Amino acid sequence: MEAGGLPLELWRMILAYLHLPDLGRCSLVCRAWYELILSLDSTRWRQLCLGCTECRHPNWPNQPDVEPESWREAFKQHYLASKTWAKNALDLESSICFSLFRRRKERRTLSVGPGHEFDSLGSALAMASLYDRIVLFPGVYEEQGEIILKVPVEIVGHGKLGEVTLLASIDQHCSTTRLCNLVFMPAWFSPFMFKTTSGHVQFDNCNFENGHIQVHGPGTCQVKFCTFRNTHVFLHNVPLCVLENCEFVGSENNSVTVEGHPSADKNWAYKYLLGLIKSSPSVLPTEASDSLLSLDLESRDQAWSPRTCDIVIEGSQSPTSPTSSSPKPGSKAGSQEAEVGSDGERVAQTPDSSDGGLSPSGEDEDEDQLTYRLSYQVQGPRPVLGGSFLGPPLPGASIQLPSCLVLNSLQQELQKDKEAMALASSVQGCLIRKCLFRDGKGGVFVCSYGRAKMEGNIFRNLTYAVRCIHNSKVVMLRNDIHRCRASGIFLRLEGGGLIAGNNIYHNAEAGVDIRKKSNPLILCNQIHHGLRSGIVVLGNGKGIIRNNQIFSNKEAGIYILYHGNPIVSGNHIFKGRAAGIAVNENGKGLITENVIRENQWGGVDIRRGGVPVLRSNLICFGYSDGVVVGDEGKGLIEGNTIYANKGCGVWMMSSSLPHVTSNHVSYNGLYGVAVFSQKDGSGEFPGGHGAQENFSEDGDAILWETELEKDEDPLRRPVTIALVESNSINHNGASGLYVQSSEALHVITNVIHANGDRGITVAQSSQLTRVTNNSISCNRQSGVKVEAQCKVELRGNGIYDNRGHGIITKGDSTVVIENDIIGNRGSGLQLLPRSDTKVIKNRIHSFRAYGIAVRGRTKALVQENIIFQGKTNKTIFQQISNNRECILQNNKFLVFKKTSDTWRLVNPPARPHLENSLRGPSAAHSGQKVTAMATRITAHVEGGYHSNRSIFCTIL
């Protein structure tokens, strides 16, 4: 646009000298002039905004160095807000009859100060009329008596803020008033600087020092650009109050107290304040601005597929020879033979295959030797991640999380949760926005059914930021809470509300502390670098903790104790210096679909009566164990993926009585599942792993047990014996399951596959350990090993293709009944000296060694077993010497005699039989089954038994 031949730049320079009314008139000339006025945002509008004595920088006090998106819009918002106090003047005049025929009375300006019309504020108020403006010139004004405001007036300090000081106690009895650009101090006779019970008061650009302000409902207040130094704001039963862009410094008590339910009676200002709030920019997130830290993970889906092994068999020997014959020195078979350890356990010398199974088909063997082909399929429960995390962890590689475990933005969560959206959008009681609370005792205290909303504030260097008690509700959005000397946010006595999108960090106690039946929704926060725990729930506290990032806290990311019972879902809890989640002292909780990773201690730690439901979580890359169930810990651990932790996948004490079911436990550094009986020295661990936090309040003793709820949770079934059921335990660094326990234990319907040591090791079991209907395959050493003085029952298991023996036992009470022990590198079953074993109704086959090997003085009953012939230079049964305590009854030995011989695993079909014994852990996971199939052994002889022709053997 060029008007009168002048370029735009020159017009902007000319218009920059205009005052506000002139700018308004110019914008009404035409569309081109309107756009020209708008283009002055960074020049003239900025000058007007910063030059106004009634306001400060739009982003003061939190971000005074950050420019607003629009200076004109910021100036407009302040201008409209500054006129709120007088909006009832029109309502008042319109209610008077014949107002149209009367001339409106002009507002007067009354000057107070030395050399002016009035010497004191009191004398000026005595002469003031409706809506007059009283200007206090620089000086100190001390009123000796209480000032009562009977008519609406505006009291403004002249000059810069700080030049006018007012020592007074003001009691407002009129409908509205405004005070601006003043420094308030309490009078000598009262700590209250201002109070109102029914009217509306507006403070702009004021300082308050060492006193109190009180607003009682149905009164309302609007406070903007004010500083409160050691000043307490009391809000009692207020329907709506707005504190915006204020600074609270050095309070000796709470800076703001909101008490009582919002009054049902509302004064004239309520609707104007509500409209002003709705028209101002909101801090509610948008998709563009709402970003959370995300995990950079790359998927490595691997499907479990059938494996095929080619095993070469040498010459023939009588299948019932009492002693074994050694292979000839230097023979190929001898070079491939497994080494025998000091206890008789065999360790294969073949290279490890990619999936932990056997693949010796590349061995150099003669074509005319007998060949068995073993082909079978092993399936575990499908992990909750839909197949992710089945492959080994690759150093430095990124892993992509499935969509169900990716953090949603706050906007997405609010769109999904209508109740949360309604809370976030609601305004009731007190609205505190863009304020700074620092260097004092308390921030905001909400009590006795009070309601408060806090948006975009900063709380720092306080004892606590927010306390919400006695059935009160708070809505906290996008606040920054850090360096509190106690907890950041504290809720008790049925407090609740919404805590969303906040940044809570570097606090001396918990970031969020929930007690005594409080039930908040904690959503999409970042809670990190706390000196204690991230979130603590205790004393019957509840709450929904969802979609938060909780990381780098010194103690547990989430600590649940004293019957705390929250719902913890969809959170990322990582890099903590203790446990990710700790459940102690009878704590409960439903913990589901969280990502718990890279914590120093257990991903989840359950002790001392803790009884949570831990379901469908990813617990990975921890520097210790995945899940720890310590002394007296209980609970249901179901459907979790426990992956690549440096310690054990699940570490538990047998006396703790957990129910561990349908988990995918893989690639952990030590045992997949370890069961111990010794005490765990809980006092040596940091917080969240046994340490006792100080949960007392104001020095009082904790007496939680007197008020604990006695509700029954349908999610938790009573368990009288520790139970490990229907898990997939594979590719762990040591044994899949390690038992060193003085308590009873049941191990049922698990898939234990390709672990770095044995499938199951029972090192101590003074009471009975039942191992039933498990698939134990392809482990680096024996399938099962039972040490001396152990009581173990092995029933209905399928033990396949392990690199050592199928079962090796020293136990003094071992029962091996109705198992399929097929295709293991060592003997199918090895009984060591001084063991006492019953071997009944098993099907046993070894490709390279004996079906059953008895070493030394062993007490054994071997009865009604079917033993298939393996290598032709080995026997089916080996006994070192004549042992009268070893009794053989009614066993069936199968050898190849005819060309039409066929071996089948039928009646019953191959074990384990899981169709009837597998109990679905829940409706949501009923499709996750543990299956292992080995349906038949077929031997087709194409020539004589002693002819050097091949034998084809298949287990499908």
Side-chain angles (χ1 to χ4, degrees), residues 44-61:
R44 185 54 181 161
W45 289 111
R46 184 177 185 275
Q47 291 172 359
L48 289 172
C49 192
L50 295 179
C52 179
T53 59
E54 297 183 0
C55 67
R56 307 185 191 185
H57 190 287
N59 290 326
W60 182 89

Side-chain angles (χ1 to χ4, degrees), residues 754-810:
N755 295 284
D757 197 358
R758 306 173 191 95
I760 298 177
T761 300
V762 184
Q764 176 185 337
S765 179
S766 56
Q767 295 195 37
L768 183 62
T769 296
R770 295 182 184 274
V771 181
T772 306
N773 285 356
N774 301 278
S775 174
I776 305 168
S777 64
C778 297
N779 297 285
R780 190 177 293 271
Q781 294 192 25
S782 299
V784 179
K785 183 175 182 181
V786 180
E787 294 287 358
Q789 299 180 348
C790 292
K791 297 179 180 179
V792 179
E793 178 184 294
L794 295 161
R795 182 187 294 267
N797 303 283
I799 304 173
Y800 303 110
D801 199 15
N802 298 283
R803 295 193 176 189
H805 304 294
I807 299 173
I808 180 170
T809 178
K810 299 179 183 178

Side-chain angles (χ1 to χ4, degrees), residues 648-859:
C648 302
V650 179
W651 185 101
M652 65 183 190
M653 295 183 64
S654 56
S655 60
S656 57
L657 302 181
H659 183 186
V660 182
T661 178
S662 301
N663 301 282
H664 192 87
V665 185
S666 61
Y667 293 100
N668 298 285
L670 298 178
Y671 307 112
V673 177
V675 184
F676 291 91
S677 60
Q678 69 268 23
K679 299 298 180 183
D680 52 21
S682 59
E684 301 175 1
F685 295 104
H689 203 276
Q692 184 69 275
E693 285 203 44
N694 178 18
F695 291 110
S696 62
E697 180 186 359
D698 300 331
D700 296 334
I702 304 174
L703 298 175
W704 303 112
E705 296 296 336
T706 62
E707 54 188 67
L708 298 178
E709 294 178 343
K710 303 300 182 183
D711 57 338
E712 294 294 333
D713 194 333
L715 294 175
R716 300 171 177 86
R717 291 193 302 113
V719 177
T720 57
I721 296 177
L723 180 61
V724 180
E725 177 186 24
S726 303
N727 303 280
S728 174
I729 305 171
N730 63 86
H731 295 91
N732 298 286
S735 296
L737 173 64
Y738 184 87
V739 180
Q740 185 177 328
S741 169
S742 58
E743 305 289 338
L745 173 67
H746 287 180
V747 182
I748 303 172
T749 64
N750 301 279
V751 171
I752 303 173
H753 172 78
N755 295 284
D757 197 358
R758 306 173 191 95
I760 298 177
T761 300
V762 184
Q764 176 185 337
S765 179
S766 56
Q767 295 195 37
L768 183 62
T769 296
R770 295 182 184 274
V771 181
T772 306
N773 285 356
N774 301 278
S775 174
I776 305 168
S777 64
C778 297
N779 297 285
R780 190 177 293 271
Q781 294 192 25
S782 299
V784 179
K785 183 175 182 181
V786 180
E787 294 287 358
Q789 299 180 348
C790 292
K791 297 179 180 179
V792 179
E793 178 184 294
L794 295 161
R795 182 187 294 267
N797 303 283
I799 304 173
Y800 303 110
D801 199 15
N802 298 283
R803 295 193 176 189
H805 304 294
I807 299 173
I808 180 170
T809 178
K810 299 179 183 178
D812 59 3
S813 180
T814 304
V815 178
V816 183
I817 183 169
E818 296 179 351
N819 302 278
D820 286 343
I821 308 170
I822 305 294
N824 301 283
R825 280 295 183 91
S827 299
L829 178 63
Q830 184 160 116
L831 311 181
L832 297 182
R834 294 182 296 278
S835 62
D836 185 351
T837 309
K838 294 179 180 179
V839 184
I840 302 172
K841 296 183 179 179
N842 301 279
R843 293 180 293 198
I844 304 172
H845 175 271
S846 174
F847 283 112
R848 289 185 167 271
Y850 305 98
I852 301 177
V854 180
R855 297 183 177 274
R857 303 294 297 179
T858 298
K859 183 178 180 181

Side-chain angles (χ1 to χ4, degrees), residues 111-124 136 140-141 143:
S111 300
V112 179
H116 292 274
E117 185 178 358
F118 300 97
D119 293 331
S120 66
L121 175 61
S123 61
L136 301 181
V140 178
Y141 300 86
E143 300 294 331

Side-chain angles (χ1 to χ4, degrees), residues 481-484 486 488 504-511 529-532:
I481 301 170
H482 64 282
R483 301 192 185 281
C484 293
I504 305 171
Y505 59 101
H506 284 302
N507 297 292
E509 296 289 339
H529 291 96
L531 301 182
R532 300 296 291 269

